[in-house]
Amino acid sequence: MLSSIVVEKVSKRYGDHRALAAVELTLTAGSVCALLGPNGAGKSTLLGILSTLVRATAGTVGYLEGDRRRKLDDRLRADIGLLAHSSLCYGELTAVENLEFFATLYGVADGAARARTLLDEVGLDGRARDRAVRTYSRGMVQRLALARALLARPSLLLLDEPFTGLDRGGALALGARLGQAKADGAIVVCVTHDLEAIAGVTDHVAILVGGKLACDERDPAGYSYAALRERYHAHAG
Amino acid sequence: MPGRALPTAPAADAVPASCSAAVGRRTTAPVGTLRLVAAVAGKDLKVELRSREILYTMALFAAVIVVVFSFSFVKDQKALVAAVPGVAWAAVVFAGTIGLGRAFEREREGDTMRALLLSPAPRLAIFAGKTVAIALLVVAVEAVVLPLCLLFFNVDLGAAVLDLVLVLVLGAIGFAIVGTVFAAMLLRIQSRDVLLPVVLYPILVPMIMSGTKATAAILAANDADAWFWIKFLAAYDCVFTIVALWTFEALVIE
Amino acid sequence: MRRILIPLLAACAAAGLAGTLYLVFYVTKLEQNLFFNQKIFYWHVPNWFMLFSMVFLCGGASIGYLVKRDPKWDDVAHAAGELAVLFGAIGLVTGSIWGKAAWGHWWIWELRLTTSLILWLTMLGYALVRRFAGPGSEPLCAGLAIFGMVNVPLVYFAVKLADKLGQASAHPKAKVVAQLDASMKGTFWLSVLTFAAVCALLFLVRIDAIRDARRLRAVRERGLDAGILEP
């Protein structure tokens, strides 16, 4: 179980294009960080670096478990759940098959049962889950992607625009699910434009502008929609 | 359904949290690498059997090559038997390259290559799984090429056809090993479609040579030569398995 | 050090090229079987020596890079890989001219010719990937070089064994050098030294350029990473 993530002067460049410049950020267990910012601010890049798949061009990310720094090995990846822009699922397979396949890769015992539980939880319809994923609507894909991210009970949950394609009810339910992950002591990072959906769950606001961290503040009491909007406009205009 | 709220499914209340203790615990013992290899290969084949896209296009492409080339080697309304080995191996390698490119392109849709690399499965298992799947695809194509060649070139091999099958399977394995490393390496590069054959074929030369020589020897019923080249082919597979195992981790990750 | 070494090598190479040309045409005797055709041998063979040394330097440096991850090794592999393409091209052209004169064919499928051609194609692919793969592709290029190097003996033996039932090879064997008379031998080894100087000179100049480009890129990247430079 990861207890905190320390991002130390992390920079990322793609050739001459700079995505992140010396970002410093600490993420703690049992908290939901709303990572905000305009398009192209480097939010997805930061998530990629946190997921260990993108290598920072400078700086380090420390994955701490108590006082111990975890090694960047295969086992660390088991503790990370990612919901990305793309589904990370196979279009030709059904939702159940996708989850069962990833359950095998993650070494999750009784993958079939775990897949059913998760699909119930994210509200993916009983008939739909045995159809090929390429026939799904955006919202259904998003639910499946969430189930995939939660599959191995990650203690670091990274979400890139998870509210896309969900209706208001679905978005609220997802917000509640994030609240639950927070209560379970997970580290949650959520990149989003949907301030209304994330309000009430988040207790940590980080705003990226042009690859630099413009705002990094916490409030254990949480943030209202108005408070989030006020901060977003103050920093990202 | 798209419009539904997240927790509306009936069982959602019965199993409230993702933390229901009985299911979903991670196994403590390391899952056998072989199981992971089988899972990755099985997944690839399942996806392929659903769409059959790669299989059909590869098989048709290989068949077209065999037909067109046997047509160009016709003399007195009969195709030259001496052209069989070359035509067969050209068809296998070209069709194999198409399949290789598509098999990796498919992992880009839905960004599933990232999902594979993000999982705690060792990279070795992912690499081996993809190699197995590609080798099986190439074998499937060879199952089309071989009868077509025998048919168009009027060859009757009898029991020696089994030797030919062995040669083709060893060739498919060699192709899959080198091809998977190269295709995975080139995955991040823009011009990978063109670069893949450019860098792959020179490395495949010993395989193609020993394959054609073995095929020619079998057609000429020259057992000693055939076995010599079969052994050479096996040695080629071994050498590049070792090189691939040594380098792939350093190459694929970034 | 470089400031002396590079002009020195350039002078040696220039003198060597002029000197060997003079020796080849005015001093060495005509060869008994090939007569005037044999003259190209003095320039043809050293090019192949350089090709193979550059290929193995490239492969060795690539292994070094994968093990140590020090960009210095990658610079060596990069420069050596490019020079292998150059010397291979010269070797193929001079070889073809000789082949046409000696055998009446620009090209025959013979052991040395085939092996060298495939090796050259491999290095050409390497150079292409170097050029088009962009930054971050160093491990990939290293892998390519290693596969190419391992492939050399496999290709050699495949062609050699495939040829074993055929006629004896038309290509002169390595032992011809030992059979040359003193003036021919001297000229030949002087020529080898000359091309070694050319190769070393090009290698030094090229590796300096590659290293400078890499350092410049690194400085610029550090500036971008630190947020001092704006893209």
Side-chain angles (χ1 to χ4, degrees):
Chain A
M1 194 80 181
L2 295 165
S3 60
S4 65
I5 312 283
V6 184
V7 177
E8 289 159 330
K9 287 205 187 314
V10 160
S11 302
K12 176 65 187 178
R13 236 176 336 82
Y14 295 101
D16 261 0
H17 170 72
R18 188 187 65 208
L20 291 175
V23 171
E24 302 243 17
L25 186 65
T26 302
L27 304 162
T28 46
S31 124
V32 174
C33 172
L35 187 54
L36 312 174
N39 287 330
K43 299 173 304 236
S44 297
T45 307
L46 185 54
L47 273 200
I49 290 173
L50 289 173
S51 77
T52 72
L53 271 194
V54 177
R55 193 172 293 182
T57 40
T60 54
V61 179
Y63 297 84
L64 303 182
E65 198 171 296
D67 295 335
R68 200 164 59 86
R69 230 181 149 95
R70 290 275 298 267
K71 270 201 310 213
L72 294 170
D73 56 7
D74 291 348
R75 277 210 307 280
L76 174 65
R77 291 199 302 272
D79 283 329
I80 302 173
L82 174 70
L83 184 158
H85 259 293
S86 32
S87 66
L88 303 186
C89 286
Y90 293 92
E92 298 295 334
L93 301 183
T94 68
V96 174
E97 286 167 335
N98 265 298
L99 291 184
E100 281 178 1
F101 169 62
F102 284 109
T104 311
L105 288 194
Y106 278 87
V108 173
D110 201 357
R114 176 76 178 146
R116 272 196 305 278
T117 316
L118 275 170
L119 289 174
D120 288 343
E121 206 180 294
V122 299
L124 196 67
D125 190 272
R127 274 164 302 144
R129 60 179 69 167
D130 289 321
R131 285 208 323 257
V133 170
R134 68 183 149 74
T135 64
Y136 285 13
S137 71
R138 188 80 187 84
M140 291 158 83
V141 169
Q142 204 68 356
R143 285 158 202 256
L144 172 61
L146 178 65
R148 203 203 74 88
L150 293 171
L151 191 63
R153 304 172 183 292
S155 52
L156 173 59
L157 186 56
L158 305 168
L159 308 160
D160 198 347
E161 300 286 1
F163 300 106
T164 314
L166 295 180
D167 58 354
R168 211 22 64 188
L172 286 175
L174 171 59
R177 183 66 190 75
L178 297 188
Q180 189 201 322
K182 175 164 113 178
D184 291 346
I187 305 168
V188 183
V189 184
C190 182
V191 168
T192 186
H193 281 111
D194 194 339
L195 302 181
E196 198 177 344
I198 196 76
V201 197
T202 176
D203 56 350
H204 181 181
V205 180
I207 301 177
L208 276 173
V209 181
K212 294 177 184 173
L213 202 59
C215 165
D216 176 18
E217 61 164 80
R218 295 153 192 279
D219 184 350
Y223 291 88
S224 66
Y225 173 50
L228 283 181
R229 250 187 41 182
E230 184 256 312
R231 278 171 184 76
Y232 187 83
H233 288 298
H235 294 286
Chain B
M1 293 291 110
R4 281 172 77 170
L6 277 165
T8 45
D13 294 328
V15 192
S18 61
C19 313
S20 46
V23 290
R25 223 180 314 118
R26 267 206 302 279
T27 43
T28 41
V31 186
T33 305
L34 274 182
R35 234 187 93 201
L36 295 175
V37 173
V40 173
K43 178 270 302 171
D44 267 11
L45 294 176
K46 200 192 261 180
V47 169
E48 179 50 37
L49 288 179
R50 291 274 158 82
S51 71
R52 295 189 204 92
E53 181 209 354
I54 299 181
L55 219 49
Y56 285 168
T57 47
M58 269 173 97
L60 184 61
F61 184 54
V64 166
I65 292 177
V66 171
V67 172
V68 168
F69 277 92
S70 37
F71 188 64
S72 13
F73 288 115
V74 167
K75 201 178 176 188
D76 301 331
Q77 296 196 338
K78 280 199 178 137
L80 285 173
V81 176
V84 173
V87 169
W89 283 87
V92 168
V93 169
F94 288 162
T97 314
I98 301 260
L100 195 59
R102 273 299 299 154
F104 275 87
E105 203 55 41
R106 196 175 261 167
E107 294 283 4
R108 293 170 59 84
E109 296 158 9
D111 226 355
T112 43
M113 197 68 199
R114 253 175 99 194
L116 290 180
L117 294 178
L118 196 65
S119 79
R123 265 76 201 244
L124 171 69
I126 295 169
F127 167 77
K130 295 223 70 98
T131 307
V132 169
I134 284 165
L136 288 174
L137 277 179
V138 175
V139 167
V141 168
E142 288 170 346
V144 176
V145 170
L146 180 59
L148 270 183
C149 280
L150 299 184
L151 181 76
F152 283 127
F153 289 91
N154 296 308
V155 187
D156 187 10
L157 277 178
V161 84
L162 288 178
D163 294 349
L164 205 48
V165 169
L166 177 62
V167 172
L168 288 170
V169 169
L170 284 173
I173 294 171
F175 178 87
I177 290 166
V178 182
T180 309
V181 177
F182 278 45
M185 284 198 303
L186 293 173
L187 204 57
R188 286 173 299 129
I189 295 174
Q190 286 287 310
S191 41
R192 58 183 167 278
D193 295 343
V194 194
L195 279 180
L196 179 61
V198 168
V199 296
L200 180 59
Y201 289 171
I203 307 294
L204 289 181
V205 162
M207 181 208 102
I208 299 171
M209 270 197 63
S210 46
T212 47
K213 293 286 172 191
T215 311
I218 291 169
L219 290 178
N222 184 343
D223 268 5
D225 270 19
W227 277 103
F228 174 80
W229 286 111
I230 288 172
K231 280 185 232 159
F232 191 94
L233 204 48
Y236 175 90
D237 289 0
C238 291
V239 167
F240 278 110
T241 305
I242 293 166
V243 180
L245 289 181
W246 189 71
T247 49
F248 84 96
E249 178 129 24
L251 303 176
V252 178
I253 294 148
E254 192 65 13
Chain C
M1 179 63 186
R2 295 269 157 116
R3 213 174 286 170
I4 310 166
L5 197 57
I6 287 175
L8 190 70
L9 279 172
C12 287
L17 288 175
T20 48
L21 270 185
Y22 174 80
L23 289 173
V24 164
F25 288 109
Y26 294 100
V27 177
T28 54
K29 282 189 285 194
L30 277 184
E31 211 264 352
Q32 294 152 346
N33 301 319
L34 296 165
F35 303 112
F36 202 67
N37 296 337
Q38 184 263 350
K39 300 278 186 198
I40 204 166
F41 154 92
Y42 297 105
W43 275 31
H44 170 69
V45 179
N47 273 294
W48 286 123
F49 284 10
M50 294 309 125
L51 167 74
F52 279 90
S53 18
M54 287 301 110
V55 167
F56 282 95
L57 181 60
C58 179
S62 297
I63 293 177
Y65 176 72
L66 282 191
V67 174
K68 300 261 184 209
R69 292 284 167 161
D70 184 339
K72 274 183 204 145
W73 289 103
D74 186 60
D75 295 345
V76 172
H78 188 169
E82 288 182 356
L83 286 179
V85 175
L86 174 70
F87 287 109
I90 301 175
L92 283 173
V93 171
T94 51
S96 283
I97 295 170
W98 191 2
K100 181 69 183 163
W103 310 318
H105 302 287
W106 292 108
W107 186 262
I108 57 167
W109 291 102
E110 184 271 344
L111 173 60
R112 273 157 241 261
L113 279 75
T114 312
T115 311
S116 313
L117 178 64
I118 288 162
L119 178 57
W120 186 68
L121 284 178
T122 309
M123 297 317 291
L124 210 54
Y126 175 84
L128 269 184
V129 173
R130 270 275 169 205
R131 196 178 162 81
F132 294 115
S137 64
E138 292 84 3
L140 190 172
C141 295
L144 212 54
I146 294 169
F147 271 82
M149 190 174 68
V150 171
N151 204 34
V152 173
L154 284 172
V155 176
Y156 183 85
F157 284 115
V159 185
K160 189 183 171 106
L161 297 166
D163 237 25
K164 79 182 165 182
L165 299 175
Q167 297 111 348
S169 165
H171 194 283
K173 298 287 183 293
K175 61 176 187 279
V176 292
V177 175
Q179 294 163 345
L180 295 175
D181 86 1
S183 76
M184 293 163 112
K185 220 184 252 177
T187 308
F188 172 71
W189 286 114
L190 181 67
S191 181
V192 170
L193 281 179
T194 302
F195 277 94
V198 172
C199 182
L201 172 68
L202 292 175
F203 183 79
L204 282 180
V205 172
R206 191 66 191 115
I207 202 169
D208 278 356
I210 290 169
R211 199 188 43 226
D212 290 347
R214 174 170 60 76
R215 283 187 182 157
L216 187 64
R217 209 167 52 231
V219 169
R220 188 179 154 67
E221 288 169 357
R222 278 222 300 282
L224 283 168
D225 284 345
I228 303 164
L229 267 177
E230 285 304 321

